[in-house]
Each structure stands twice: as C-alpha cells, then as structure tokens.
Amino acid sequence: MTYRPGNPGPSTASNSLRILEIVARFGTGTTAKEITDALQMPPATAYRMLNALVGDEYLARTSDLRGFALGHALSGLITAATPPTVPTAARILIEEFRSGNRFAVHLIMFRNASLRIADEDPDYPLQSPFEMPRYPHASAAGKLMLAELGHSASPLPGGPLMKLTQHTITDRGQLEEQLAEIRFKGEASEINELAQGSASLALPVRLSDGSVGAALCLSGPAERFTAICEHTEAARELTSRLAPFLF
Amino acid sequence: MTTCVPHKQGEPARRRESWFLVSARGDRFITPRSPVEGLSRRKLSFLPVFAQAVAAVAPAGAMAVIPALVFPALVFGSTGPNLVLTFGAAMAVMVLVSFCLRPMAKRMAAVSGLYSYTAKGLGQRTAITVGWSAMFGYGLVAMASLLAVGTYVVQLLINLRVAIPDPRLLAILVILAAAAAACRLMVRGIQISALVTFSVESISIGVLAVLMIVYFAFNAPKVSFASVFVWNGNFDSLSIGIVVAVSAFVGFESPTTLGGEAYRPFVSVPRAITWTPIVTGVLFLLAATVEDVALNDAPLNIAASSTPLSDLFSQTSPVFAAVLDLGIAASWFACAIASVNALARIFFCMGREGVAPRIVGRTHPSFRTPSMAIMVVMPVVAIVPIAVIISGASPEQGLVNLFTLGAYGYLGAYVLASASMPFFLRRIGEDTYASWILGAATFLVLGAVLWQAASVSIHTGNPQTFVYGGVLIASVLYAMFLRLRLPERLASVGIYDETREIDLFPGKPVP
C-alpha cells in the first residue's frame, strides 16, 4: 500500500503534478476555482501551489491574471519524456534501406540532451533499449550526441562513468579525445562497449542549420564491424534524404 | 494601431511607437504584443533586483542620517524617544506592507509597481493617485539623495582639510556630475546600474560597520547599553518617531517596477520585497543602538547636526570621518539611481498608456531601457537640490524637508496599494479571508501613521502636508478629467508585462 495522508492537504509534489494535468486537460485559461473544484483542494493551498508553479514558470498566468496555461519550463520534461513520432515517409525510406542489408538499422533522436528511440529495427530489436539512453557514453548514438552537445550541455552525470562491459570507456579524458575525433569525422562507433559481442556505427542526421538532431545506427555482431562499415556511404546518403522528413 | 514605416530591403521594419489601444483589460488570454515592448525582458538575476530594493532604501545613508532626524525632530535628551523601539515598530509596519505587496508581486509582472497593482485592485482612477504619489516620493527622495551626495562630498573635503574657495559652487558641481553619471548608468541598463548600486551600498554598509566598531574601540561608551532599551513611556514621541523611522524604509518596494526585466520575476521580486525590510530593519536596529549610545555621549551640537555620525567621528580622526562621508555619499548616489530607476518606469508606463506624454514611453533601441523617461526626469531631479543650495537654505533643512515630503508620497502609495491587495485578489478570484484581514489591518495601521505625520506637521505649521495634499488633489482632478474626456486612455491604465507566447509550453524549442 502506498502512503496517503488522511486529507488531501498540502502533500506537495504530487498535487503540483495534478494541477499541471488539470491545466493541460482544461487548456489555456483554466481558473484557480476550476482547479480547486476539480481536485477538491483547500483554496489557500491551491493558490500557494499555483503561485509556486507560476514562479518556476511551469505555469503562466493569462493576461487577465485569472487563468493559467502550461509554462515553457515544462518543455524540458515533456520533450524528453514524449516518444518521438517518425513520419511514414521517413519510415518507408528506412524500411527500404533495411531490406538492402543484413544489419540492424535504428533511428535514434536527440531530444533535450537525451536519446530517444524513434524507429527500432523490427527484425533485429535493440539489445539494451533502456541502458542505451541511460548511458550515452557507451553507445555510438550517445557518443554522437555528446560530441554534438559539447562540454556545456553535457548530460553525463557527475560521478564515475558506468562500466557496462570491459570495453566501455570510463576515463573522461579518453572520452573527450574520442568525441573530438567524432566531431572531426562526423560518425561514431562502438565495439563491445554497450554489450559484449555487439558493435554499432552511428551517422548524424543534420538539421538545415547543420546541427545534429538524430542518429542513424547500424548495429551487428562485433566481429562483423568492418562489414557494417562498408555501408557507411549508403547510410550517409540515407541520412540526407531522411532529414527533411524529420526536421 | 501599429503603423509600419516603409523600410529598405534587408533593414528590419521599425515600428512606430504607438500603444493607444494596448490591452490592460485582459480581453484575450494571451495578447500578441506586449504593452511594455522595448524593455529588455526577463534578464535580471536576483542580485540586481535585490540591489534595486536595498539601494532605494539606502541603508548606509539612512543609518547615518535618519536616527539623527528622529532625534532633533524631537527634544533631544531625557524625553527623547527610544530609538530601538521606534525602529522596531517602524520595521513591523513595513513588514506588514511587504506582506500586502507580496501576493500581487507573485501574480503580476508589474513594470510600474504599486501603480499597476492598484489599477487592478482599487481601479484605474485610484491608480492615477498612487502613481503620482509614488512618483512624487521617488522624485523627492532622488532629489534629497543628490543633495546629500553634494553635502557629504563637500563635508568629506572639509574633513580632509582641503581648502575650498566656494563650497556651494562645489556642491552644485558635484550634484551635476552625480546626476550626469546616474543618468548614463541608468540609460545603459539596470544590470549595470544595479550592480554599481549594490557594490556601492555593500561597501558603504561595511565601512559604516567597521567605523562604528573602531569608534567604540577607541571611545568606550560611558552610557551602558542597557539604557538604550529602557522605555520612557512617552507614547507621543514614539508615534512621531515611528513616522520618521518609517521613512528610513521607504523604497523597499521599488523592485516591483522590475517585473518585466527580472528573470523569474514571480520569485525574485516577492523575495526582494520580503527580505529588504527585514535586512535593512536589522541594520537600522544595530545602527540605532550604537548611535543611541554614541550620541547620548556626544555634545548636543553634534547630536543636532545634519551629519552627526561624521561629526562624531571627526572628533576622533578626520580620516575616519572622511571615509565615512565617502561611504554615505556613495550610498545616497546609489539611492538616487534606484529611485529614478523606479520613477522612470512608472512614468514610462504612463507614457505607454497615454496618461502622460507619449514620448516618455520610448525605450532605448539598443540598451532597452526607458531612456526617454529617464532623460526627462533626471534634469528635474537635479535642478531642485541645486536650487536649494543656490537659495542659501541650509542643506540640513533641505534634506529634512525633501525626505519627509518624499516619505508622504511613499506612504500615500503604500496605503492605497495595501488596500488594493484584497480587491486585486478578488478580481482574479483568489481572495481569502486572510487577505481581507491583512489588507484592512495594514490600511488602518498605515493610515494611522500617515494621519499622525500629517497632524504633527500641520500642528507645527509645516506646509509639507499641504504640498502633498495638493499633489493628491491634483491627481484626483486629473483622473476625473481623464474619465470625462479621455476614458479610453484611463481604461488602458494598468499595463504590465503580460505573458507572451514564448512563456508558454512548448515555448522555445529544447535542443
């Protein structure tokens, strides 16, 4: 059983989220009264929480000051958490490419400095779909993203880097060197770093301004890495055709 | 009403500034254009916002001057008021005011402070009175500050035994230079001016604190500290003392004019107005304690002087006194900047609304400050202290008169803005019983303070009350004129930095 207080009082965090949900459902202009009615909350508590949410810009007041709307500070959460949608035209291009080779082909998008699996190869599913976004330093797509973000926006946690296999790069200096090389070459690779026995190659899908917004990943057995690399040119050509559909 | 000037290819269209029908009524959820467009938006971090409040209060300057005003304003000596108690009570009153302003600051990113709060609370006509009252307060305190800068710089040179052929001419030159420097800093941007004011203020408080400690190290007080806290049972002198002491706190509300420019205004502005009365109050209490002891020891002529602290120190060492003078002058310089900053923003909003000349609604194209309002206000603010000096009136008397008159302006604005709070909340459907009680209590307490000040002033034959009363009446008449002749302009009163589309989800795309 989860803990629930006797009355719904100021049990802060979850009530804040409920308020956000109400505003998201009712839409721009939802009033404090509507929120307190919907949540059966004491008004003074609701006002306090609303002001706190407005203060942190998770909510914004409408021009008459009565109503609320979702604030820009939610963008980070929503963008990072929402699975990206891939247009059918892009899926068809990727599907065509998949039929022409014997490796797994995945499309990974970069959302708010995190990796999101946009299109997974149905025939060769990702071996570690949860570990890959969590440990960007260990995957080809992740390293491509880290190289793109540079130092300032690095999403890597402060502590020591997780060692997933004995080949995972855990030394930050060594990682930085590799990121510089990735930036120079415009491609990233990983052999046995994310999972023992597998390797992958990631190629950037660029926005019109040249920045990288997604990675096209080719994965296969580690010993077949050179064979994977033979597809580099074809994959590169695919990324430039994909870009207009994705961004 | 937007007219676009034809522009050459490749050059950005420059919009002619006309904000006739800016919405202050919130008839749409999100308005496409902000009525206060042109100001730099959401850039100031908490420190400059807090600095604006602290500088407008000018604790270092007030610490040095106001307790001295509380003294000679009354009979100095055995029947004098208890400084610590007086300041404690004044601090309580101001904390009450800050509690009233806070709910509004949390809900509205005001650019014109109490003026726009009142417009949303007690209505647009009352807002005109509050706006005028607040501008009157800021203006007079800015004038007094410049006068104080002049006085203290001259005093500094005298303490350093520099031969000055004409102290009055020097004071005028100092005031002109200070006004020009302040104007430049303010037009350059609040970021720079606030940082300058904050560092200046911190240094002057530090200087004062160190000097006070050093003074007592050299001159062990003959009076015991316990005597400072003795209550002499004189209620009359206490209430008058509170009125003067309250004027030491005024200006703490000035960050409410930075709602548009502050980064996360709904956090930083309420925080600044909550903490400033407390922080400065503690400083005042410390200073009052120390000065009570020191001035009790001092000869009567020093206690009654306009620069009592520096006179006191100059007994010990002229260099001490000079350093102190520099700190105090700097503090008043910062106060002048902060006051005009706030004043200009109210004036700017009035210009945008059309209830003041539209030209003052212009902003600087690259610094993004209300530069036109600043440049219109500054000469007026500089001329008055110069006139005081030229007229040959004693600077002490000029300071006292300007500060007290200014305090009326602030107090009048506080009374109405505090009373607005529950109405403001009711209008947006968020009033509570507590808000009505708080609003009423603050209104009554402040009203009593203002009443006390007015009756004492009338009793002593001082024309200040009438001057301020005249301003109030003029503002009421002007509001009536607007209602009859220009109702659409009156209706646009109360503009503020409304939510923009960029503030909403999804807002700026996240990388």
Side-chain angles (χ1 to χ4, degrees):
Chain A
M1 282 293 282
T2 50
Y3 169 72
R4 275 186 76 133
N7 68 43
S11 81
T12 46
S14 51
N15 279 332
S16 298
L17 291 171
R18 287 191 196 108
I19 290 178
L20 293 176
E21 190 188 328
I22 294 285
V23 176
R25 272 173 46 209
F26 289 8
T28 297
T30 309
T31 62
K33 178 95 177 59
E34 288 167 338
I35 292 166
T36 51
D37 286 351
L39 294 176
Q40 303 279 304
M41 242 177 164
T45 313
Y47 302 156
R48 197 165 54 242
M49 300 183 77
L50 283 167
N51 284 332
L53 289 169
V54 168
D56 292 334
E57 297 173 2
Y58 289 115
L59 287 179
R61 280 180 187 267
T62 54
S63 285
D64 56 3
L65 300 174
R66 300 177 67 94
F68 295 89
L70 293 185
H72 72 90
L74 280 171
S75 309
L77 168 69
I78 298 176
T79 324
T82 323
T85 50
V86 180
T88 313
R91 283 184 192 278
I92 291 170
L93 283 179
I94 299 171
E95 215 38 66
E96 274 174 17
F97 183 71
R98 277 178 188 144
S99 62
N101 72 64
R102 292 161 52 210
F103 301 106
V105 179
H106 311 289
L107 180 68
I108 315 288
M109 291 182 91
F110 305 161
R111 303 294 289 275
N112 190 15
S114 57
L115 297 176
R116 287 294 165 262
I117 298 158
D119 194 43
E120 192 178 352
D121 196 321
D123 300 331
Y124 310 97
L126 282 163
Q127 284 184 357
S128 32
F130 298 105
E131 287 75 8
M132 191 194 69
R134 178 72 185 84
Y135 304 114
H137 67 281
S139 68
K143 285 193 278 190
L144 196 63
M145 180 181 73
L146 293 178
E148 170 70 9
L149 290 171
H151 253 305
S152 57
S154 178
L156 286 177
L161 296 173
M162 180 74 176
K163 198 169 180 68
L164 295 171
T165 69
Q166 53 176 334
H167 297 283
T168 310
I169 301 170
T170 50
D171 178 64
R172 279 174 195 271
Q174 201 189 336
L175 183 65
E176 273 312 318
E177 271 172 36
Q178 207 177 87
L179 295 183
E181 195 191 318
I182 291 167
R183 254 173 245 134
F184 176 71
K185 281 171 67 182
E187 62 177 67
S189 60
E190 159 269 310
I191 305 170
N192 291 329
E193 289 168 38
L194 184 63
Q196 194 60 47
S198 78
S200 59
L201 174 75
L203 297 163
V205 184
R206 291 180 193 276
L207 279 70
S208 53
D209 64 0
S211 60
V212 182
L216 187 73
C217 275
L218 276 64
S219 305
E223 63 276 11
R224 305 266 294 147
F225 184 68
T226 42
I228 295 175
C229 289
E230 285 165 16
H231 295 276
T232 308
E233 279 321 302
R236 244 186 231 291
E237 194 255 345
L238 173 65
T239 60
S240 57
R241 282 163 64 206
L242 273 176
F245 294 114
L246 295 177
F247 308 111
Chain B
M1 286 309 295
T2 314
T3 43
C4 282
V5 182
H7 61 282
K8 285 180 207 137
Q9 204 92 55
E11 211 177 90
R14 187 171 296 166
R15 288 196 176 117
R16 189 171 285 162
E17 303 195 19
S18 74
W19 274 268
F20 278 85
L21 292 176
V22 288
S23 163
R25 282 150 289 179
D27 40 11
R28 292 179 63 178
F29 281 146
I30 305 294
T31 42
R33 285 183 61 205
S34 166
V36 291
E37 213 166 88
L39 290 183
S40 109
R41 190 168 190 265
R42 308 275 155 102
K43 290 271 157 50
L44 280 188
S45 56
F46 177 67
L47 190 67
V49 175
F50 186 57
Q52 164 71 24
V54 173
V57 176
M63 273 154 85
V65 173
I66 307 274
L69 295 185
V70 179
F71 264 122
L74 309 148
V75 195
F76 174 73
S78 55
T79 55
N82 181 313
L83 265 183
V84 173
L85 189 67
T86 310
F87 270 90
M91 178 174 161
V93 173
M94 285 299 114
V95 169
L96 218 50
V97 175
S98 79
F99 278 173
C100 279
L101 299 180
R102 208 163 61 146
M104 300 190 275
K106 280 188 172 174
R107 287 166 169 86
M108 181 176 178
V111 178
S112 51
L114 312 189
Y115 170 60
S116 48
Y117 293 161
T118 313
K120 284 270 183 289
L122 288 176
Q124 273 116 350
R125 277 200 290 169
T126 321
I128 298 278
T129 303
V130 171
W132 281 36
S133 190
M135 280 168 65
F136 181 76
Y138 289 130
L140 282 155
V141 164
M143 292 166 192
S145 304
L146 284 182
L147 184 58
V149 171
T151 313
Y152 273 96
V153 168
V154 171
Q155 181 74 33
L156 159 84
L157 295 175
I158 292 173
N159 276 330
L160 286 178
R161 311 272 187 271
V162 178
I164 307 164
D166 187 352
R168 273 163 64 185
L169 180 69
L170 180 73
I172 290 172
L173 290 178
V174 168
I175 289 171
L176 281 175
C183 198
R184 191 178 148 72
L185 279 173
M186 283 184 286
V187 171
R188 289 289 301 209
I190 190 104
Q191 182 90 45
I192 303 167
S193 71
L195 286 178
V196 168
T197 53
F198 193 73
S199 32
V200 159
E201 198 59 56
S202 318
I203 293 167
S204 13
I205 293 171
V207 164
L208 259 168
V210 169
L211 284 180
M212 281 182 180
I213 293 166
V214 171
Y215 176 82
F216 278 107
F218 281 101
N219 309 275
K222 296 184 211 75
V223 185
S224 72
F225 273 94
S227 74
V228 174
F229 301 99
V230 172
W231 161 240
N232 62 19
N234 189 340
F235 269 108
D236 256 3
S237 64
L238 177 71
S239 59
I240 303 160
I242 290 173
V243 173
V244 184
V246 157
S247 67
F249 288 89
V250 296
F252 80 89
E253 80 301 331
S254 66
T256 57
T257 57
L258 298 181
E261 286 149 287
Y263 170 70
R264 306 218 309 170
F266 304 109
V267 175
S268 59
V269 174
R271 195 176 286 168
I273 60 175
T274 308
W275 284 102
T276 308
I278 295 171
V279 170
T280 53
V282 169
L283 284 175
F284 289 153
L285 285 176
L286 290 176
T289 313
V290 171
E291 281 169 45
D292 210 352
V293 172
L295 293 176
N296 262 318
D297 271 356
L300 198 58
N301 67 328
I302 285 181
S305 145
S306 71
T307 52
L309 270 191
S310 66
D311 290 356
L312 200 60
F313 287 127
S314 66
Q315 285 183 313
T316 312
S317 150
V319 179
F320 271 7
V323 173
L324 180 74
D325 285 329
L326 188 66
I328 296 172
S331 173
W332 286 124
F333 176 65
C335 179
I337 291 183
S339 302
V340 176
N341 258 335
L343 165 57
R345 277 164 180 77
I346 300 181
F347 204 29
F348 157 80
C349 280
M350 289 183 162
R352 284 282 166 95
E353 292 156 353
V355 298
R358 290 214 180 268
I359 190 165
V360 299
R362 292 230 178 120
T363 50
H364 195 284
S366 48
F367 299 135
R368 303 177 75 75
T369 48
S371 53
M372 194 55 86
I374 293 168
M375 287 190 291
V376 168
V377 166
M378 210 57 214
V380 182
V381 168
I383 278 172
V384 172
I386 292 174
V388 168
I389 291 179
I390 290 176
S391 75
S394 82
E396 292 86 85
Q397 204 49 48
L399 274 181
V400 172
N401 281 331
L402 290 173
F403 274 125
T404 345
L405 208 46
Y408 275 103
Y410 285 95
L411 286 178
Y414 289 165
V415 170
L416 291 171
S418 303
S420 285
M421 186 267 287
F423 293 94
F424 177 109
L425 293 183
R426 190 182 62 175
R427 194 174 278 212
I428 64 168
E430 294 179 25
D431 55 328
T432 55
Y433 289 120
S435 68
W436 288 100
I437 294 167
L438 181 64
T442 311
F443 176 75
L444 290 176
V445 170
L446 269 181
V449 169
L450 195 58
W451 181 257
Q452 181 70 36
S455 58
V456 169
S457 160
I458 293 171
H459 195 66
T460 53
N462 196 318
Q464 284 165 345
T465 313
F466 298 106
V467 174
Y468 179 62
V471 172
L472 284 188
I473 291 170
S475 72
V476 171
L477 291 177
Y478 180 60
M480 278 165 74
F481 162 78
L482 285 173
R483 185 180 169 81
L484 295 175
R485 290 301 169 91
L486 299 162
E488 78 288 355
R489 292 195 185 187
L490 187 65
S492 72
V493 164
I495 60 170
Y496 68 98
D497 184 65
E498 293 171 27
T499 298
R500 309 264 282 272
E501 245 179 280
I502 197 163
D503 302 329
L504 301 182
F505 172 76
K508 284 165 272 184
V510 181

